[in-house]
Amino acid sequence: MLSLVVFLPVVVAVVLLAVPRVSDPVVRWTWIGTSATEVALLVGMWVAYSPGSPGSPGTSGFAYEENQRWIPSVRAGYHVGVDGLSLPLVALTAVLFLACAIYSLRQTERVRGFATLFLFLETVCLGVFVALDLLLFFVFFDLSIVGMYFVIAGWGHRGAARAALKFFLYTFLGSLVLLLGFIGLYLASSPHTFDIVELVRQDPAAGKGAVAGLILLALVLGLAIKTPTVPVHTWLPPAHVEAPAAGSAILAGVLLKMGTYGFVRIVLPVLPGTWRDYAPVIVIVGVLSVLYGALVALAQRDFKRMIAYTSVNHMGYIVLAVGAAALVGQSDAQARQLAITGAVTQMVSHGLITGALFLLAGVLYQRGGTYDMGSYGGLARQLPVFAGITGLAAFASLGLPGFSGFIAEFQIFTGSLRGAPVATAIALLGVLITAALFLRAYQRLFLGPPSRQVVGDLTVTETAAIGPLMLLAVAIGLFPRFLLDVIEPAAGAL
Amino acid sequence: MLWTLVVIPLIAGAALLASGRRADRWAPGTALPAAALTLALAVGAAVRRPEVSAPFLAGVPFGLRVDGLSAVLIVLVAVVLLAVLVFAVGEVGPGEPRARFFGLMLLFAAAMLVTVTATSMVALLMAWEVMGATSYGLIGFWWHEPERARSGTIAFLTTRGADLGLYLAAAAAMAGGAGALALDGLATLPDGWRDAAAAGVLLAAFGKSAQLPFSFWLSRAMAGPTAVSALLHSATMVAAGAYLLLRLRPLLETTAWAAGLVLWVGVLTALALGAVAVVQRDLKQLLAASTCAQVGFMVLAAGAGGVAGGAAQLTAHAVTKTLLFLSAGVWLAVLGRQSLSGLRGAARRKPMVGVLFAIGAVTLAGVPPLSIWAAKDAVLTAALHSSVPLYLLGLAASALSAGYAGRALMLVWSPADSTDSTDSTVDADSTVDADGPGRAGRWRTAPLPLLAAPAVLLGAFAVPPVWSAFADAVGHPGEPAPTWAEMAVSAAVALFATGAAAAVVHRRGDVGESGVLGDWLGLERLARRVLVTPADVLAGLLARFDDRVVDGGVHAAAGAGTAVARLTDVRIEPVVDAGVRGVARGGRALGRLARRPQTGQLHQYYAQAVVVLAVLALLLAVL
């Protein structure tokens, strides 16, 4: 079942490539149909994922588990499964890819290539979140970089080639460092294995001192580049600015989560002691990302670049939370669970909201030909629906209650203060700075008198792509239980 | 029932907002029934005192409850909401985006209802922040004008900055072991965490209530429609901070420094913003500053332990201030003026409104036997029980209230200035109602008498049995009532100050200009200079640092990579290659050497063989 969900898109992609002379509309609707099927399958899996149902987590804590021999010589297996940490991200991935598919209905440039690339990326992204084997994880993790490279380079704006190259080399370096860490874990385990579940049971780094520290360093650096945290974040802004809107949405919504997901899936459970030892450093990196990302975003004049930097800020909260959760220790189970639940919620929330914001940025570019905020003004009069939805997304992104971002950040703050009081108190300022930058940006773009003629409010397809993302953000913001019921048990078990 | 109370304005507001301009026609028809229903449910809830709770976060429920204090507040909010919405039907005309306006107003009111009934920090914080965000939309309602939009931004950012305090308080409650984040649990937190929670609560309350040093945002909040000002300034938003402090009085009791700080911030705000109000040139600005000052009394009450007094002051002020704002709104709509000099004689032109405004102004002045007189006396009694200097400062602040109220009253009733009263002089930022007092006018004036009545009748607070019943109802029984002497003193102060202000206006025309006070103590400029500009500068510096140093470092590393590659290509490769070629050359040279003996001549081979054998023999001999 899980393998079907993961590999269906790539199979469709291969078929699309193999069949000669398919027309663009057929490609578009096949793409949408496939993505919609994925969403439908995941809704089914979500409903069935509860104690006592066919999809309930087994004794290992994972549901829909599959474990096959793959490379027996290094004891790497095809081991996949989902739990409360990964199921929300898997669902988020499916939803975002569907949104991008719908949004790309107006795409006219090399449609078949674009669609197959996205279908390939969908499989790869789903694969990362379901992988329970380090090598398998690494393969998907690395392929995501390849796929996104071609999206940016092939369909990006003017400076895309350069930005894509930077993106590729930088994140590829990160994934190589990550591979080093994985090999370190393999060598430290006995019997040697790449299986995550097995590694968690072994706690391979216990009592290994400096070696454990080095493995942690490699893992954290590798994941931090992908997340990205300060100071290894500078590949992100150019990649976003040059990427096509759908590419940006996937990059921010899904690819960044692979980094933070790696923390909760691999680093925390496999290296608990070492993680705790170095947690203060992680907390500092988190706070730095929060404040630095927000302040640099405040200074941007390019709308898309600004959103890119707010991603650094939002990911910073996650890093802060996973660091602080370790510092709280087992003494205060509720705070620890809140922090980790908040971190996972933030991943989902950021995916939805920032995904929507990047698609909206795409609309802005399509209508006005630039992301420069200074060349717009008074758009609310010309494009009222666009202004309304962007306003919603902006308030959601600045963490207003009623949207998912608040649920995430509130849990992160309340869960983290005990473990890291000073850092958490400082990180609170990030909430204010993001509010300031979004309101200023909104004012510059939408309020006041119109500065030039811009026509074309949101079309039906654009609304159909972006609206559901905002609806989900509101649903989580008001009725978070359906999501938290899934996350909390897994977060509590960490 | 409690859910319904909150959900009705919420759903109605959200529906109006979501339907956009299409719903403009239906907006009043949706909003007024919703508000009326809300009022009915609020009265029902105030009687039946329901309590509800729903699971929300892990171990943290979303709980609402109506107790004595919140019973007063929900009814008050519902009454003012209905009055203000009726007025707004006249103010926000059919051509304007009514769906957005009424939608935001309803959402705003729903947020306030949740704020005053919340039992847990999470419910409180959510409503608290949504209220701030909707106020942004309402203050910046006429967003076509950049300055009004900017005012919304400033108001929201100021209050949100203070809201961080509630995040801190919630987190401190969790860290201190109050896992359900119940408001009741704050007072019993362990030291340290309790102090952090108290600090956070104070920050949030001062910000929302526009106490010092946050007062300036309230001046900005005047950029919205008058109906918005009336709602924001009376029973909601600004009152929310004072309400929170009254609600969390147990926390203040266990945290001594917090109670002291609250006391002094309250009384100083009452004094300073009272003085600001005295010199304002614009009626709405005068009313705004007076709101800060009047809320200062509520804050003072919370600090001094006069919960019932604070609640009474909140109630009396809410109805009075709504009345005053709406009267000012009538003049703004009809005459197109809101500057006090422009409003000279306004009351004579609309005497009905003039009389109602006068009732409001006299009440605001603290003249007996009206509501604010009675309520403020209760507050001052609490202050007197705390310390005598505090009481005297409180009295001074009441004198200032009487001063600005008397001045405004005298100005609107004094004969119109012949040089300044032609109909063509209209304030720049106003929309004159071209129809004059037609149907729109009736909508605008209808709520005024209904607000004047409670403003007067709540003077019943001064009657001892009524007072003790009220104190019982808000859950603070046995709160001392003012003595007759205190009442007489405050009455004398109010009458004297009102008279003095009226006399000054009568003799000299008006009070003199004052730079710092007129500019709200320069607080906004200060905030800009101390916080906003440095943050912007820092942001700019960091952005450059990010591009040049952090990203520059990455590029330098990449550059170093290519440089090393080029170096290898240009310098090292030739050396290595030279080595390889050297070996080849050597091999070739050896080959040439090896070819030399191969002469093909037999005698030379023999000679070579002899030499070799001789060498071998020699070697054997030696070894």
Side-chain angles (χ1 to χ4, degrees), chain A residues 166 231 233-234 292 295 305 309 334 338 381 395 398-399 406 414 417-418 431 439-440 443 448 480-481 488, chain B residues 56 58 125-126 129 133 136 143-144 150 153 156 160 167 172 174-175 179 536 539 545-547 550-551 555:
Chain A
K166 184 174 182 177
H233 63 279
T234 53
Y292 185 91
L295 279 169
R305 216 173 141 82
Y309 275 107
Q334 193 192 1
L338 269 179
R381 191 192 291 269
F395 273 100
L398 62 82
F406 171 80
T414 43
L417 190 75
R418 174 79 180 266
V431 174
L439 289 194
R440 277 190 190 178
Q443 182 162 352
R481 285 314 319 167
E488 274 165 7
Chain B
F56 200 66
L125 179 49
M126 287 182 76
E129 284 238 276
Y136 164 79
W143 50 262
H144 304 272
R150 250 168 59 82
T153 305
F156 179 55
R160 184 157 219 231
Y167 283 90
M174 175 60 65
D536 274 335
F545 173 79
D546 197 58
D547 286 342
V550 182
D551 199 33
H555 279 273

Side-chain angles (χ1 to χ4, degrees), chain A residues 272-431:
Chain A
T274 324
W275 177 258
R276 199 153 45 239
D277 294 343
Y278 291 94
V281 182
I282 305 292
V283 165
I284 290 171
V285 170
V287 175
L288 264 183
S289 300
V290 166
L291 286 187
Y292 185 91
L295 279 169
V296 176
L298 182 64
Q300 299 304 318
R301 304 194 56 80
D302 179 308
F303 186 59
K304 216 174 176 191
R305 216 173 141 82
M306 182 193 87
I307 303 171
Y309 275 107
T310 63
S311 290
V312 177
N313 160 277
H314 285 127
M315 295 293 106
Y317 293 122
I318 299 177
V319 176
L320 167 70
V322 291
L327 288 176
V328 175
Q330 303 298 345
S331 60
D332 190 342
Q334 193 192 1
R336 188 181 157 87
Q337 187 190 14
L338 269 179
I340 293 175
T341 309
V344 179
T345 315
Q346 175 79 329
M347 293 183 213
V348 176
S349 160
H350 177 263
L352 293 171
I353 297 168
T354 310
L357 274 171
F358 275 123
L359 293 182
L360 288 163
V363 174
L364 181 73
Y365 188 86
Q366 208 261 335
R367 306 295 196 269
T370 174
Y371 294 121
D372 178 41
M373 291 191 275
S375 51
Y376 295 98
L379 287 179
R381 191 192 291 269
Q382 295 155 328
L383 317 173
V385 178
F386 178 57
I389 294 198
T390 310
L392 275 188
F395 273 100
S397 187
L398 62 82
L400 189 75
F403 297 98
S404 52
F406 171 80
I407 301 295
E409 284 164 22
F410 183 80
Q411 293 188 89
I412 289 175
F413 291 135
T414 43
S416 302
L417 190 75
R418 174 79 180 266
V422 179
T424 308
I426 296 174
L428 277 175
L429 286 176
V431 174

Side-chain angles (χ1 to χ4, degrees), chain A residues 17-82:
Chain A
L17 282 180
V19 178
R21 282 199 308 269
V22 257
S23 67
D24 284 354
V26 171
V27 173
R28 288 196 191 102
W29 287 105
T30 313
W31 180 14
I32 292 176
T34 312
S35 302
T37 312
E38 291 284 296
V39 171
L41 285 172
L42 272 160
V43 169
M45 282 174 64
W46 189 291
V47 171
Y49 180 92
S50 58
S53 313
S56 64
T59 44
S60 60
F62 293 95
Y64 307 104
E65 209 175 345
E66 291 171 37
N67 201 348
Q68 306 287 333
R69 282 156 57 90
W70 182 34
I71 315 175
S73 54
V74 292
R75 289 181 34 107
Y78 173 78
H79 188 184
V80 295
V82 290

Side-chain angles (χ1 to χ4, degrees), chain B residues 428-444:
Chain B
D429 58 342
S430 61
T431 45
V432 187
D433 189 349
D435 322 327
R439 262 172 62 200
R442 278 201 292 280
W443 282 107
R444 284 192 296 257

